[in-house]
Amino acid sequence: SNGRFGGHFVTGHVDGTGQILTKNAKENAIYITISVPPAFSHLLLMKGSVAIDGISLTVFGAADQTVTVSIIPHTAKETVLGFKDVGDTVNIEFDMLAKYLYSFMNKGKETAAESSGVSENFLKQTGFI
């Protein structure tokens, strides 16, 4: 082994569910667009990773509240995702590194504002907004 890590970081813990919106075969791939819970859409990055029904996949497209993945015929034949169709529900696990980075970058922001006594309500009461 060369010690190189070649996969995505997934844990098997479902973050939410989505619904298959489109499923289109193009050449040697099947493009699947899935709705994403709004609370998690910020964790999707082009060429990042996402697990759909336990299958770790690369993000092929990311929009406001959707993710598009591409699977090959072998994946379609060997996994449950290949047998699902438009309207079906899928389990989604978002990239663990994206979750950790987002958490790290936002940790303490709410606490700092709250501890200073500055809130949206306070700013309205004092005429700032």
Side-chain angles (χ1 to χ4, degrees):
S1 165
N2 65 6
R4 183 172 178 249
F5 179 77
H8 299 154
F9 290 102
V10 291
T11 63
H13 297 286
V14 174
D15 292 311
T17 60
Q19 187 176 52
I20 297 176
L21 302 175
T22 64
K23 187 174 182 181
N24 301 305
K26 293 184 183 178
E27 297 178 20
N28 196 34
I30 301 167
Y31 297 97
I32 303 171
T33 300
I34 300 165
S35 64
V36 174
F40 295 101
S41 60
H42 64 281
L43 298 173
L44 294 168
L45 303 170
M46 286 294 293
K47 298 186 182 179
S49 63
V50 65
I52 306 294
D53 280 345
I55 308 155
S56 182
L57 299 165
T58 299
V59 174
F60 189 78
D64 188 26
Q65 292 179 21
T66 65
V67 63
T68 301
V69 293
S70 174
I71 60 174
I72 60 174
H74 176 76
T75 304
K77 283 191 322 192
E78 298 295 326
T79 66
V80 69
L81 186 56
F83 296 96
K84 289 195 173 181
D85 209 344
V86 172
D88 289 344
T89 299
V90 295
N91 292 317
I92 306 172
E93 179 186 350
F94 296 90
D95 181 62
M96 186 170 59
L97 294 178
K99 289 188 279 190
Y100 282 137
L101 181 60
Y102 183 81
S103 176
F104 176 77
M105 296 302 292
N106 290 287
K107 184 97 41 208
K109 286 187 179 178
E110 297 84 18
T111 306
E114 290 168 3
S115 67
S116 71
V118 177
S119 67
E120 183 177 355
N121 192 34
F122 172 79
L123 292 174
K124 284 180 182 175
Q125 288 176 346
T126 55
F128 285 99
I129 57 174

